[in-house]
Amino acid sequence: MAAPGENLRINADRLWDSLMEMAKIGPGVAGGNNRQTLTDADSEGRKLFQKWCEDAAMTMAVDTMGNMFMTREGTDPNALPVYVGSHLDTQPTGGKYDGVLGVLGGLEVIRTMNDLGIKTKHPVVVTNWTNEEGTRFAPAMLASGVFAGVHDQDWAYDRKDAEGKTFGDELKRLGWVGDEEVGARKDKMHAMFELHIEQGPILEAENKDVGVVTHGQGLSWTQVTITGKESHTGSTPMPLRRNAGLGMARILQLVDEIALSHAPHAVGAAGHIDVYPNSRNVIPGKVIFTVDFRSPDIAVIKNMEERLLAEGQKICDEMKLEVEFEKVGGFDPVEFDKGCVEAVRNAAERLGYSHTNIISGAGHDACWVNKVAPTAMIMCPCVDGLSHNEAEEISKDWAKAGTDVLFHAVVETAEIVE
Ligand code: HGY
Ligand code: MN
Ligand code: MN
């Protein structure tokens, strides 16, 4: 299929200005963002994205999970659309680029197509997937998971945040329940491309402009609830304590050992920890935490889960603590569509950008969409590989390279009409 001339590139200054403009919505406290899903800030960011897309002559559709689909028509009304997109929601201590680069990079592709008067046979749709981060409402990639048929919508609507608010109520409160049934379009997708920052150190360390993402590692989230007994930290003799906090500490040490036993690719930690009553002079009677295991190898993930349950149970039995394990999220390792991956690689070659194959360490909406449509990802380096931190940083050149590749891969796949 004809591709855009290698001299055709996106407008990096316009992309960068849009990234900085979006970053003003839901600011963090250290230069990043706290624009968590289905907050007023998230809704404000959605409305700004909608305005920019409508200014670029796109039309909006929203589904019942709040997923936003902004369409630029093709010349053939029967041709299935090519999708680009990612997510606008952020972590509480999020950066300005995680997810946002993929959504606004998709918008920049459209803006450039408009500037150049490019017509394509297939429509192009820029997507914002609701609740990719899974930080306020677990699990991650919730709305793209419902879209792909992995999760049930009623179950997703019932997911609760730390204040007991539900996903469904918050979506309704903000007016982002669309009239399109979620998943109605999943069997009518020609392809999807997601541009995302690497969130790891490989591309920068290898001095590569672009990551050609061939696979995504699998993820497992297990929520652990340990129950002991509140008691006085001063007057309770050590042998009489049933310290849920100590049980958690020993299990977190076990998690580290389990992940390291599968070095160098497996990883494990707990990022979410709730301690009750969380008072300085009370032995914790209950702790709830989520163990996050990841690996490119499904057998390794299964082994890590099995060891956590067996050895975690043993630790708690010995300490006379009750423990419950609940699987609250996860997906198997993903292999992306070879044809779409080739389109990404060819685009990087044509544009003269250095590139390397890479396995995504983080989960992305593309991991679920890959179940229903030919999908691939493009990665750009980030400084020190840092992400999920307000100091997350990329260069304009890196953003340009990734978005140029996205532009070429999307336009080639959508088939230019002379
Ligand atoms: O958890 C993840 O990998 C993604 O950042 N939501
Ligand atoms: Mn992300
Ligand atoms: Mn993220």
Side-chain angles (χ1 to χ4, degrees):
M1 284 176 277
E6 62 272 15
N7 60 321
L8 299 185
R9 312 280 168 126
I10 59 105
N11 180 329
D13 291 336
R14 179 171 57 192
L15 169 62
W16 198 257
D17 290 348
S18 296
L19 286 166
M20 294 307 115
E21 197 61 31
M22 181 61 74
K24 292 175 187 166
I25 299 175
V29 295
N33 277 106
N34 179 7
R35 191 173 55 244
Q36 296 183 55
T37 196
L38 300 186
T39 57
D40 293 344
D42 182 30
S43 185
E44 192 186 336
R46 287 164 164 260
K47 288 173 185 162
L48 177 59
F49 171 58
Q50 174 187 354
K51 177 187 179 311
W52 283 340
C53 288
E54 289 172 347
D55 290 350
M58 289 193 261
T59 53
M60 180 168 83
V62 181
D63 73 15
T64 48
M65 284 296 290
N67 295 316
M68 299 170 73
F69 303 102
M70 312 306 291
T71 298
R72 180 183 197 262
E73 289 308 332
T75 58
D76 176 352
N78 300 315
L80 300 184
V82 172
Y83 287 73
V84 299
S86 191
H87 62 93
L88 291 173
D89 66 306
T90 77
Q91 289 284 338
T93 56
K96 299 190 284 283
Y97 312 98
D98 173 0
V100 185
L101 178 64
V103 177
L104 300 188
L107 170 61
E108 178 51 37
V109 166
I110 302 295
R111 285 170 166 170
T112 301
M113 290 170 76
N114 290 347
D115 290 349
L116 299 173
I118 289 176
K119 287 189 175 49
T120 55
K121 176 185 171 194
H122 298 260
V124 178
V125 177
V126 187
T127 306
N128 170 35
W129 298 103
T130 308
N131 189 31
E132 187 281 340
E133 291 294 359
T135 181
R136 184 181 175 198
F137 301 104
M141 296 101 77
L142 181 62
S144 52
V146 176
F147 177 89
V150 171
H151 302 308
D152 170 75
Q153 179 167 285
D154 290 344
W155 175 80
Y157 270 36
D158 281 346
R159 307 304 290 158
K160 288 184 177 57
D161 69 6
E163 293 167 11
K165 291 179 183 165
T166 67
F167 177 97
D169 287 348
E170 286 293 273
L171 193 66
K172 288 175 196 131
R173 174 180 72 84
L174 292 167
W176 281 102
V177 180
D179 51 19
E180 177 180 308
E181 186 196 344
V182 62
R185 61 175 67 213
K186 71 180 177 191
D187 300 323
K188 295 172 255 179
M189 299 174 78
H190 186 50
M192 177 171 136
F193 295 91
E194 180 170 0
L195 167 64
H196 204 288
I197 61 171
E198 179 198 340
Q199 301 181 294
I202 298 167
L203 295 177
E204 185 184 43
E206 295 185 8
N207 196 25
K208 300 292 184 193
D209 300 318
V210 173
V212 179
V213 188
T214 58
H215 299 75
Q217 71 175 347
L219 171 153
S220 159
W221 279 2
T222 301
Q223 181 168 291
V224 185
T225 303
I226 299 178
T227 306
K229 184 177 177 184
E230 282 93 28
S231 60
H232 200 297
T233 52
S235 54
T236 309
M238 293 297 276
L240 299 184
R241 296 177 179 204
R242 292 179 52 218
N243 185 339
L246 182 59
M248 174 181 69
R250 289 183 178 162
I251 287 182
L252 294 185
Q253 180 63 45
L254 168 68
V255 165
D256 199 58
E257 285 158 16
I258 291 172
L260 290 172
S261 73
H262 291 285
H265 296 303
V267 292
H272 150 246
I273 296 177
D274 289 325
V275 179
Y276 301 92
N278 202 25
S279 167
R280 289 175 181 77
N281 42 13
V282 178
I283 298 289
K286 182 165 90 168
V287 295
I288 303 175
F289 57 102
T290 304
V291 174
D292 178 323
F293 278 134
R294 310 210 189 187
S295 166
D297 180 340
I298 186 63
V300 169
I301 292 175
K302 296 277 180 238
N303 174 267
M304 295 196 286
E305 288 174 332
E306 285 159 11
R307 283 194 58 190
L308 169 66
L309 268 57
E311 296 169 46
Q313 183 70 55
K314 192 162 172 285
I315 286 170
C316 290
D317 291 348
E318 286 163 2
M319 297 178 69
K320 296 186 179 53
L321 298 169
E322 288 155 42
V323 62
E324 287 167 43
F325 299 95
E326 181 193 355
K327 186 81 180 280
V328 293
F331 56 85
D332 293 354
V334 164
E335 180 173 10
F336 289 113
D337 176 80
K338 288 188 170 52
C340 290
V341 170
E342 198 54 29
V344 169
R345 189 175 294 112
N346 291 343
E349 287 287 344
R350 184 184 318 127
L351 290 157
Y353 288 124
S354 60
H355 57 87
T356 184
N357 290 350
I358 192 167
I359 295 174
S360 174
H364 302 285
D365 295 307
C367 297
W368 283 142
V369 178
N370 187 58
K371 284 181 170 296
V372 295
T375 300
M377 291 189 72
I378 302 159
M379 280 190 173
C380 97
C382 47
V383 175
D384 300 334
L386 186 65
S387 182
H388 286 193
N389 181 308
E390 290 203 44
E392 176 186 280
E393 200 49 74
I394 64 173
S395 73
K396 190 186 292 188
D397 287 347
W398 284 342
K400 173 171 171 36
T403 310
D404 275 340
V405 170
L406 182 71
F407 167 54
H408 277 243
V410 166
V411 169
E412 182 180 8
T413 307
E415 297 180 53
I416 290 180
V417 173
E418 303 303 335

